[in-house]
Amino acid sequence: MRRRGEYETDGCVLVIFGATGDLTRRKLLPALYYLAKDGYLPEQFAVVGVGRQELTEAAFRREVAKNLREFVEEKVDAKTSKWLTQRLFYVGGDFTTDWTVFTDLSATLKKACSDFRIPGNFLFYLALPPALFPVVAQKIHEQGLSAEIDGNWRRFVFEKPFGRDLASARKLNSDLQKIVSERQIYRIDHYLGKETVQNLLVFRFGNSIFEPIWNRNYVDNVQITVAEKLGVEQRGEYYDTAGALRDMIPNHILQLVTLTAMEPPVSFEPDAVRDEQAKILDAIKPFSKRDLDKTVVRGQYSAGKIDGAKVVGYTREPKVRAGSKTETYTALRLAIENWRWADVPFYVRTGKRLATRHSTILIQFKKAPFTLFRGTTIERLTTNRLVIHIQPDEGITLHFGAKIPGPVVRTGPVDMDFNYVEHFGEQTSTGYERLLYDAMTGDATLFQRSDMVVASWRIVSPILNGWDEDRGKPDRYAAGSWGPKVADEMLERDGRAWKNLDLEVK
């Protein structure tokens, strides 16, 4: 299945802890299918699933083939499915208490390497709760499976959330770094697997017309929105202990902020890019308790309508505590205190049960001088903005003004749209393909480094602490709206307003 002429992956075994879980079934295995189908996996490749269910190898392979038919968003190619499923192995048992699972894992890895002539390169993917990361990593280490010897590499992918506050993130980093080195650790955020997010660097630094105006001299404000129509669905138990701030800000949204605001790196080497991202996190002004009411909003959805159908409020959702004060919406005003972005506010927001589903980065440029148009019928000029659409449809829109045909000088708004599907054709993916591929090739650019994780939690910790001390409840907003009124008021105090994109994407 090797793709010729591409940056080739080494032969390796991918070990997935949580192999029978929802993430593996819906995302990881379909992602491997797409990589295999497009020729990005080497012939010397195998997958070892580790799960608590007691399954035979044959049963696991049948289950994976069934899941591929269900979750791959196209007709499954029989040849590709067979190629992948014949490379599947399985180790069953409670790996949190039964340490013989790791002895069995060691034996299974030897068999996989022998059957497919794979060198001793292992990628361990822990699709597990964070509390289990050090426990499982330690047992892998004790089996001698984490040591990089004879030129072979060993890497560990850890799913988010990486900690739940600053103290736990620091401890998790410390515990893992006692077992394996930082360069072996890949903290994954599937959001960065989206094509448009990756294209940010190319768009900014590969086009000479945008980078010169990407600064405080020309940009009025930046708005980053991650809006969802869905409620908490069946995740009420988890979500009620996390909330919108913990769930989205330290990982997804601050990553988008850093990629939008960073200085040009000296190269696209992983640490060169991440160095610049880390500088942005360090430059974000800390939140003070006395300013939380002015710079932070927390909201919770109440009953309302989504697509014309009535939906219940958050506290009526399954497995959510009655009277819960957990926020389902949060908005922040970030100030980046460096030369490029001084006095340019970055407004970020995320929420559930909002008016529409979309994730965007919006660059609002400053108004042009009106002096030239005072003697015309024009009352105001169209402000320029650039919208980077991340989901559901990936693309870029440039909004500007143009003269309306006719003898009188009048202007109207014009949108210049670029859509990935229309231009490059539709390509089905889960968002994990690029990240899995990068982990196998050793490219850590899109994975968070330990200092970045700590810096992200340092930003949000004062907010969490302030909310813990505050006995008040989140501001309510009706399901199907754009969030609580106080979020609009936060921008109104600055003389600005949210740009709500009511159409999902053109």
Side-chain angles (χ1 to χ4, degrees), residues 120-122 124 144-149 152-156 184:
N121 299 319
F122 303 149
F124 298 98
L145 299 175
S146 65
E148 297 183 312
I149 55 176
N152 296 321
W153 53 258
R154 309 289 165 87
R155 299 175 188 138
F156 290 74
Q184 291 177 274

Side-chain angles (χ1 to χ4, degrees), residues 279-291:
K279 289 177 185 177
I280 293 298
L281 294 173
D282 289 338
I284 293 177
K285 182 181 178 180
F287 288 93
S288 63
K289 290 182 181 179
R290 68 177 180 273
D291 290 335

Side-chain angles (χ1 to χ4, degrees), residues 205-226:
F205 304 127
N207 295 289
S208 60
I209 64 173
F210 293 111
E211 183 55 27
I213 60 172
W214 208 269
N215 55 58
R216 61 187 172 89
N217 295 324
Y218 297 94
V219 176
D220 179 80
N221 69 87
V222 177
Q223 299 181 20
I224 297 178
T225 298
V226 178

Side-chain angles (χ1 to χ4, degrees), residues 87-155:
R87 284 167 166 75
L88 297 176
F89 298 82
Y90 187 77
V91 177
D94 189 345
F95 48 81
T96 62
T97 57
D98 182 5
W99 307 135
T100 61
V101 170
F102 295 89
T103 306
D104 295 341
L105 172 61
S106 183
T108 304
L109 285 170
K110 289 179 181 178
K111 184 176 188 304
C113 289
S114 174
D115 287 358
F116 294 97
R117 295 178 298 160
I118 302 171
N121 299 319
F122 303 149
L123 178 63
F124 298 98
Y125 195 118
L126 278 66
L128 303 171
L132 295 179
F133 291 169
V135 176
V136 172
Q138 179 63 36
K139 291 302 174 183
I140 292 171
H141 176 72
E142 289 174 1
Q143 284 294 319
L145 299 175
S146 65
E148 297 183 312
I149 55 176
D150 299 329
N152 296 321
W153 53 258
R154 309 289 165 87
R155 299 175 188 138

